[in-house]
Amino acid sequence: VEFLYCDLASMKSVRQFVQQFRAKNCPLHVLVNNAGVMLVPERKTEDGFEEHFGLNYLGHFLLTNLLLDTLKQSGTHSHNARIITVSSATHYVGKLHLNDLQSRCSYSPHGAYAQSKLALVLFTYRLQHLLTANGSHVTANVVDPGVVNTELYKHVFWVVKVVKWMTAWLFFKTPEEGASTTIYAAVSPELEGAGGCYLYNEERTKSADVAYDEELQRRLWTESCKMVGISDEASRLP
């Protein structure tokens, strides 16, 4: 195992990581987008993005796009390269505010977190559409790990923390259990060549209706390219 440093809250760090990774001339068969914060107080990343949107979504958006060429070169007809993005059931109540993606007008930790997780689902579906249109041997799927007992809950109210402490053994998954669907998406032969899926408990299931809005997917993609400073070549595709 070899580790390379990458801070998903910093676009500079993401670019430096990709540069270091490419210098190794290694193939890339699986990319798991799994970093995240939840219910943090209102604050910004070093690039000026609202933290949920900047770290949970934009960092992964830039990372994936910068690694796409390597993924495409690594995938084959019989063994596609795979992109797995970890979202959350919270996306079902999320609303994407294209005119206020930074939650400047009215900040809510719950709303900002849900929006970032909805954005990840929209991004995955649009990405798979583009990969298919280009004939790439790469698939993109999105995963809901369930409610997992991790430090992600450190910013919730103290009452919730007490309830979590008392009931985690009954209602929460362990980190190992929470990782199972991500691992399934990464290695299962059943998903060879299958993309654009929303997975929960190692099964394909339906995401929020709004996530299938192709116009919303396109608009979010275009806006995301502007925010992270990359070319929106996809805008020329249907």
Side-chain angles (χ1 to χ4, degrees):
V1 176
E2 182 177 355
F3 294 93
L4 294 177
Y5 179 79
C6 182
D7 180 359
L8 271 292
S10 164
M11 301 302 114
K12 179 181 178 181
S13 178
V14 171
R15 291 179 183 276
Q16 289 176 338
F17 164 81
V18 172
Q19 192 174 34
Q20 291 175 336
F21 179 80
R22 282 179 172 170
K24 294 181 177 295
N25 292 316
C26 293
L28 178 58
H29 299 109
V30 178
L31 172 64
V32 179
N33 293 319
N34 189 46
V37 292
M38 184 176 77
L39 308 183
V40 297
E42 186 173 10
R43 59 195 187 196
K44 299 183 185 301
T45 67
E46 67 177 46
D47 301 286
F49 300 127
E50 186 277 315
E51 190 168 2
H52 289 100
F53 198 77
L55 194 161
N56 294 1
Y57 171 65
L58 287 177
H60 292 119
F61 179 86
L62 179 61
L63 177 68
T64 303
N65 273 278
L66 294 181
L67 290 172
L68 268 183
D69 284 345
T70 305
L71 285 157
K72 290 175 181 178
Q73 293 164 9
S74 304
T76 66
H77 177 72
S78 58
H79 291 90
N80 283 205
R82 303 188 186 191
I83 301 167
I84 298 95
T85 297
V86 180
S87 181
S88 162
T90 310
H91 91 274
Y92 286 105
V93 297
K95 294 182 180 180
L96 195 78
H97 302 285
L98 276 172
N99 296 323
D100 186 27
L101 291 172
Q102 304 303 317
S103 303
R104 293 190 179 101
C105 294
S106 177
Y107 182 78
S108 158
H110 294 83
Y113 176 69
Q115 176 179 245
S116 71
K117 291 300 178 179
L118 173 58
L120 289 170
V121 183
L122 288 158
F123 155 67
T124 299
Y125 291 164
R126 180 59 179 166
L127 176 59
Q128 182 58 53
H129 174 82
L130 298 172
L131 291 168
T132 301
N134 285 318
S136 303
H137 297 308
V138 183
T139 58
N141 290 303
V142 61
V143 166
D144 173 6
V147 183
V148 187
N149 188 12
T150 68
E151 288 299 308
L152 198 61
Y153 294 85
K154 64 183 179 182
H155 292 288
V156 299
F157 293 121
W158 69 269
V159 175
V160 178
K161 288 182 180 179
V162 171
V163 173
K164 174 180 175 290
W165 178 76
M166 294 174 63
T167 63
W169 65 274
L170 182 61
F171 297 111
F172 285 59
K173 293 182 178 182
T174 64
E176 291 78 12
E177 291 170 337
S180 65
T181 302
T182 299
I183 295 170
Y184 169 79
V187 302
S188 173
E190 296 173 21
L191 286 178
E192 180 57 50
C197 303
Y198 185 84
L199 303 167
Y200 176 64
N201 283 345
E202 300 182 17
E203 294 183 355
R204 304 182 199 192
T205 188
K206 188 175 181 293
S207 61
D209 290 340
V210 68
Y212 299 103
D213 185 333
E214 294 183 1
E215 178 60 22
L216 188 60
Q217 294 168 16
R218 281 193 289 266
R219 293 176 65 190
L220 174 63
W221 185 282
T222 297
E223 188 60 29
S224 301
C225 287
K226 293 177 184 176
M227 295 173 81
V228 301
I230 61 175
S231 172
D232 182 14
E233 297 178 0
S235 63
R236 293 190 290 273
L237 294 173

